Amino acid sequence: MDIWAPKLHPAAWTVMSLLCVYSHEVTVRGSDLKLCDEDQRVCVTDLRDCGPRPPASIQKTLDMSCCYQMSQRSMTCEWSRESNSHTEPDVSLLFSSGDKIFSCQGIFNPLAVLSVTARIKNYMMGTDTWSRPHTVVLYDAVKPSQPVLAVLNSTEDSVVVSWRSSGDGDCRLRYRVDNTHIWSQAPDSVRAHRYQTLTYTIKDLLTFTVYRAAVACREESGIWSDWSSDVSARTLDRVPSRPPEVCYRVEKTDSGGSFLLHLMWKDLDLRDAGGRILGYQVSYEPVKKLRDRFIQNFTEVTALLVVAAAEGNFSVTVAAFNTAGYGPAARLSVDTQRPNALPPVRHLWVSSSFPALRGLQVQWENPTAPSSVPPVTHLAVQWRSETRPSSSGWTTVDNATTSTVIPDVDPDESYLISVIPVYNQQCGSPQSLPASLQQGALMEAVQLKVVGVTKTTVTMAWAWQRRAGPIRVNRYSVRLREDSERRTLSLWPDQKTEHTFLDLNPDTEYSLLLLADEVSRSIIPVRTHFDEVPAVAAATPLLLLAVSVFIISILSRTLYKSYFFPHISSPRGSTTGQWLMEPNHQKTAEINILDMEDFQVTDVLGEKSLITVGPKPRPSSEEDLNEDTSLLLMSRLSKLSALELDPEYISDAPVITERTLVSLQSYHADYGVNCRHPDEVFLPEESRDVALLHEASSCFPQKEEEHRKVDLSETSYQKETAVKCPFLELMANSHCVYQMTCEAEYVANSSFVGETDV
């Protein structure tokens, strides 16, 4: 037994005042029935129905109709019933006969007359309903056999089918587009005769579309047969009836010898074109060379062609085609010598109106073109599925419109949406943005950072990336915030990813916020640099005052020392003083030859005299000693201190240490300084040489044996005036004090000078 119910009535779940109308259809075969033991004239589908029935007063009358299917030996009953319950009831059928039934297997035969009762149990509502018996004469309720449908032919908008009838009556057809569940009924029925082959033409169909069709017939009994098995048929293509809407854009290449020709057109659908579109044929040829024609097919709605700049104007045609042929062509006249430059739209954004309108809200700002660029006549909004490029759409809006809604988009699909400004047949650069119905624009601003800070400016940067999260954002912005100041910048994917806030306060703490629909995504503290100009201006007078005071103090100190503390020369800094202070005198192989001219000094009388150093005889009396000392003080002995004495001649000198002071008087050698007036002595040249040699020997001490070799008799030739200065004492202490006693002796040769004179 097939009980499958509740089958929807063609009215399909009509709801009025919470009351539902159900259509039940139950098919029972002989093998599904069981004979009741208490009453052998009743066959039931459920043995629990074999008991006594309720009184007729509480039984319900059902609008029931039953038919007999001879080939399957089964009976199908159908009825409609109102109910306020949405649960499926349990339905069983009882078949009773006026005669005794020996077997329920043969109860369904053309000669039988049966009474049918339905029992409906609703366990949810706790109800049990019995219907009044419905009498069925099986011969009159025979259901016609199922017809067989076939497809004969198809055209652009129709399908021809045929079938064979089993008896007199009429037939009806139904059809639907493949992959849909809504059937369409043929407007008229077909009169049928027994064993007649019938044909029918289903009209007003879509081109190049697959349809499914079925047929059912009824005979004199008025019972309809089952629907035939579905057959499929495809309508043919129709030549496109409209040309596409085409615009072009010329772009210069880097080489300069060619141009890029961008073509864009609106895809024609079945309703606009009148047929299926397989692709578009693009042909272009130079105006001057009509025979040089180039043809290329495209399945997309855009084309990129490389054309030579030297060929000037071009004639371009775009035509849609399918298996039926080519439709009307759109014609363009392109001048590569005058490429247009329509600016793109700005600040494109897409927001989702899901689930209210199930559409995408596209908004933008119209471009502001200079006077040399033609004005925009309208704008084209194009959308294309990212996973199915063939699924696309196109709409146009006037030049004053800044938003539009794309309706009926797939919630599970993402689209690439483009807005293109158009002037007649020229189009500007498209501005595109990916979006979906669930998430809106699939771009988000991230990675906000500070890239530069000065005293009055803050430069920030950010990045755009494709968003994969489920959050829908209608606006991104950046806000620079301070206690008494706020500056907000809206972010758009088509603008630069860097911005500088100007005219800020120096040395001030700011907060940089990245906002998504006024909700903070990130916060960055930033501080402007310190302004050193006021500080320098305030510190400059103090610095100048300090420098002035320093210079005046230095000058005052120098002048004070010059006037009140004059500089006193220290013997320690002289060469002779340093030599005398040296404890160890090393002999050297260097021999210094004395220049006699250095020993010539001007005496008191203004005459040149030669200073000689030699052994001094002891004074004969205290009077002579005082006389020699007076003469020595009057001579210029300062030149003697500047002489550089060879260490070879002072090897016998005592070693003077830092802590021991030795007087030269302790030695027997006594030296003197002799001054003579060479102008008063007239000697021969040989005698002069001997005298000079003797004088050199007397000025520098030699070894004793060498000193003895000097012939003292040669001094008889020296008729001169001499000044003898013995060194009485040479003291080396911390003050470098030298004491010297000079004895002056005047000797006059009686043969030359009569008396001694100073």
Side-chain angles (χ1 to χ4, degrees):
M1 180 180 68
D2 296 332
I3 307 178
W4 299 130
K7 179 183 177 182
L8 234 57
H9 193 270
W13 288 81
T14 303
V15 181
M16 296 181 62
S17 301
L18 300 179
L19 194 63
C20 299
V21 177
Y22 291 92
S23 177
H24 297 271
E25 183 179 290
V26 181
T27 299
V28 180
R29 296 179 178 86
S31 58
D32 299 330
L33 297 176
K34 303 173 184 64
L35 183 63
C36 292
D37 295 335
E38 295 91 356
D39 189 355
Q40 296 185 351
R41 292 179 299 179
V42 178
C43 292
V44 297
T45 57
D46 189 352
L47 292 177
R48 291 176 296 180
D49 298 336
C50 292
R53 301 179 184 181
S57 59
I58 62 173
Q59 293 179 359
K60 300 293 184 180
T61 300
L62 298 180
D63 185 12
M64 183 184 295
S65 62
C66 297
C67 62
Y68 170 54
Q69 298 176 353
M70 187 180 298
S71 59
Q72 299 178 1
R73 291 186 176 275
S74 64
M75 181 172 288
T76 301
C77 295
E78 182 180 1
W79 68 92
S80 297
R81 182 173 179 271
E82 296 179 353
S83 175
N84 56 0
S85 175
H86 297 284
T87 60
E88 180 181 348
D90 186 11
V91 179
S92 59
L93 295 179
L94 295 80
F95 297 92
S96 59
S97 175
D99 300 328
K100 184 178 180 180
I101 300 175
F102 297 98
S103 174
C104 293
Q105 298 291 333
I107 191 175
F108 298 133
N109 59 78
L111 301 178
V113 177
L114 299 176
S115 178
V116 182
T117 302
R119 185 179 181 181
I120 304 171
K121 297 178 181 179
N122 194 323
Y123 297 103
M124 182 67 68
M125 302 295 295
T127 58
D128 187 3
T129 303
W130 290 76
S131 68
R132 289 188 174 90
H134 176 70
T135 302
V136 179
V137 179
L138 270 62
Y139 179 80
D140 296 334
V142 174
K143 188 175 184 177
S145 60
Q146 183 181 24
V148 178
L149 189 64
V151 177
L152 296 180
N153 193 11
S154 62
T155 63
E156 300 169 357
D157 57 356
S158 64
V159 173
V160 180
V161 295
S162 68
W163 70 97
R164 186 178 177 83
S165 65
S166 59
D168 295 337
D170 53 4
C171 300
R172 58 184 180 182
L173 284 95
R174 64 180 185 181
Y175 60 92
R176 63 181 174 88
V177 178
D178 195 14
N179 299 325
T180 63
H181 303 284
I182 300 176
W183 290 93
S184 298
Q185 189 79 32
D188 48 3
S189 60
V190 180
R191 186 63 183 173
H193 299 282
R194 184 178 295 272
Y195 308 123
Q196 182 183 7
T197 300
L198 303 173
T199 61
Y200 187 82
T201 301
I202 305 175
K203 301 179 180 180
D204 299 330
L205 304 180
L206 299 177
T207 60
F208 205 78
T209 305
V210 177
Y211 286 89
R212 291 189 173 275
V215 64
C217 297
R218 66 180 177 181
E219 298 178 357
E220 295 178 353
S221 61
I223 299 175
W224 289 98
S225 67
D226 291 333
W227 290 101
S228 66
S229 300
D230 295 344
V231 295
S232 62
R234 183 189 293 274
T235 56
L236 302 181
D237 269 338
R238 177 183 296 167
V239 176
S241 59
R242 291 183 54 188
E245 299 178 13
V246 186
C247 65
Y248 72 92
R249 176 168 57 92
V250 177
E251 181 181 351
K252 292 183 179 180
T253 59
D254 296 335
S255 61
S258 60
F259 285 88
L260 295 178
L261 178 60
H262 296 265
L263 297 176
M264 186 178 302
W265 56 86
K266 180 182 178 180
D267 195 9
L268 298 178
D269 54 14
L270 295 177
R271 181 175 302 175
D272 294 337
R276 182 175 64 110
I277 304 300
L278 295 180
Y280 296 89
Q281 183 185 77
V282 177
S283 65
Y284 61 97
E285 58 183 347
V287 175
K288 298 180 180 179
K289 302 177 182 179
L290 297 179
R291 295 183 180 180
D292 297 338
R293 186 177 183 183
F294 302 92
I295 299 176
Q296 192 172 355
N297 293 334
F298 296 91
T299 57
E300 303 294 331
V301 293
T302 59
L304 179 61
L305 306 175
V306 180
V307 296
E311 296 182 354
N313 295 341
F314 278 82
S315 177
V316 181
T317 61
V318 180
F321 66 88
N322 54 24
T323 57
Y326 293 90
R331 300 184 179 277
L332 302 175
S333 179
V334 179
D335 186 1
T336 58
Q337 302 297 331
R338 299 175 59 187
N340 69 304
L342 288 178
V345 298
R346 302 184 305 117
H347 302 168
L348 175 65
W349 193 252
V350 181
S351 57
S352 173
S353 57
F354 179 82
L357 299 177
R358 299 184 64 86
L360 293 174
Q361 178 80 23
V362 184
Q363 52 189 348
W364 63 89
E365 290 185 10
N366 288 327
T368 55
S371 58
S372 59
V373 177
V376 174
T377 56
H378 62 280
L379 295 105
V381 180
Q382 181 188 25
W383 61 94
R384 180 184 303 177
S385 173
E386 292 187 327
T387 58
R388 295 178 294 126
S390 59
S391 176
S392 62
W394 179 300
T395 184
T396 58
V397 295
D398 58 67
N399 57 357
T401 304
T402 58
S403 65
T404 187
V405 176
I406 303 175
D408 302 329
V409 296
D410 189 351
D412 300 326
E413 191 67 59
S414 59
Y415 296 88
L416 183 64
I417 301 174
S418 302
V419 178
I420 307 140
V422 180
Y423 169 72
N424 293 337
Q425 290 182 328
Q426 299 180 22
C427 53
S429 301
Q431 195 70 259
S432 303
L433 190 67
S436 67
L437 186 63
Q438 296 182 357
Q439 303 178 24
L442 298 177
M443 297 293 290
E444 63 178 345
V446 294
Q447 300 177 9
L448 180 66
K449 58 183 178 180
V450 177
V451 297
V453 179
T454 65
K455 294 180 292 186
T456 59
T457 64
V458 171
T459 302
M460 62 178 182
W462 64 93
W464 288 94
Q465 69 179 17
R466 188 178 178 92
R467 178 160 47 89
I471 301 175
R472 294 190 297 271
V473 179
N474 294 326
R475 181 192 177 194
Y476 286 95
S477 60
V478 171
R479 179 173 296 165
L480 187 68
R481 186 177 63 187
E482 198 254 339
D483 293 339
S484 60
E485 183 179 5
R486 283 191 177 186
R487 300 187 186 184
T488 303
L489 173 69
S490 297
L491 304 184
W492 310 102
D494 60 295
Q495 68 180 157
K496 296 189 303 181
T497 57
E498 186 174 306
H499 180 75
T500 301
F501 287 103
L502 305 175
D503 300 330
L504 303 180
N505 297 323
D507 193 26
T508 304
E509 185 76 24
Y510 288 91
S511 297
L512 196 63
L513 290 81
L514 176 62
L515 304 175
D517 287 340
E518 299 301 322
V519 177
S520 176
R521 290 285 185 90
S522 63
I523 302 176
I524 301 175
V526 59
R527 190 178 190 90
T528 54
H529 291 172
F530 177 73
D531 191 359
E532 66 277 4
V533 174
V536 171
T540 299
L542 298 177
L543 182 62
L544 292 176
L545 180 60
V547 171
S548 302
V549 171
F550 177 75
I551 294 174
I552 292 173
S553 64
I554 294 298
L555 294 177
S556 301
R557 181 173 177 269
T558 303
L559 294 175
Y560 178 77
K561 290 182 64 178
S562 299
Y563 282 97
F564 296 99
F565 298 95
H567 179 71
I568 301 175
S569 300
S570 175
R572 185 186 298 271
S574 65
T575 305
T576 304
Q578 293 177 1
W579 179 80
L580 294 175
M581 293 292 292
E582 179 66 29
N584 298 321
H585 296 286
Q586 301 288 339
K587 286 187 177 182
T588 179
E590 180 181 1
I591 300 176
N592 296 323
I593 304 301
L594 297 178
D595 190 359
M596 293 298 110
E597 295 294 332
D598 296 334
F599 290 23
Q600 294 181 359
V601 297
T602 305
D603 56 7
V604 178
L605 300 177
E607 299 294 335
K608 289 283 186 175
S609 300
L610 181 64
I611 300 175
T612 61
V613 179
K616 171 186 176 300
R618 294 188 178 272
S620 59
S621 64
E622 185 178 355
E623 181 181 356
D624 295 336
L625 179 62
N626 294 333
E627 184 180 358
D628 293 341
T629 303
S630 302
L631 291 174
L632 181 62
L633 292 176
M634 297 174 63
S635 64
R636 297 183 179 178
L637 294 180
S638 62
K639 194 169 186 180
L640 181 61
S641 63
L643 292 178
E644 182 179 356
L645 301 181
D646 196 314
E648 183 179 357
Y649 297 96
I650 59 173
S651 60
D652 295 334
V655 177
I656 302 175
T657 62
E658 295 180 359
R659 297 182 182 181
T660 305
L661 300 178
V662 181
S663 175
L664 294 179
Q665 289 180 351
S666 62
Y667 287 82
H668 298 286
D670 193 8
Y671 299 91
V673 179
N674 297 327
C675 302
R676 61 184 176 87
H677 299 276
D679 295 339
E680 297 177 1
V681 181
F682 302 94
L683 297 178
E685 185 176 353
E686 295 136 356
S687 299
R688 237 178 252 172
D689 296 336
V690 173
L692 291 174
L693 178 61
H694 177 73
E695 290 172 359
S697 300
S698 63
C699 289
F700 296 96
Q702 300 180 1
K703 295 182 181 179
E704 183 180 357
E705 58 185 8
E706 293 176 353
H707 183 66
R708 291 174 183 177
K709 293 179 182 180
V710 178
D711 190 0
L712 299 176
S713 63
E714 295 176 356
T715 58
S716 61
Y717 296 99
Q718 300 175 2
K719 304 298 181 178
E720 60 183 1
T721 302
V723 179
K724 297 182 179 179
C725 299
F727 291 96
L728 298 180
E729 185 178 1
L730 177 61
M731 301 295 295
N733 54 16
S734 59
H735 298 288
C736 298
V737 179
Y738 302 92
Q739 296 181 2
M740 181 182 302
T741 303
C742 297
E743 177 182 352
E745 179 180 351
Y746 302 92
V747 181
N749 196 322
S750 59
S751 60
F752 294 96
V753 181
E755 59 182 11
T756 302
D757 194 5
V758 178

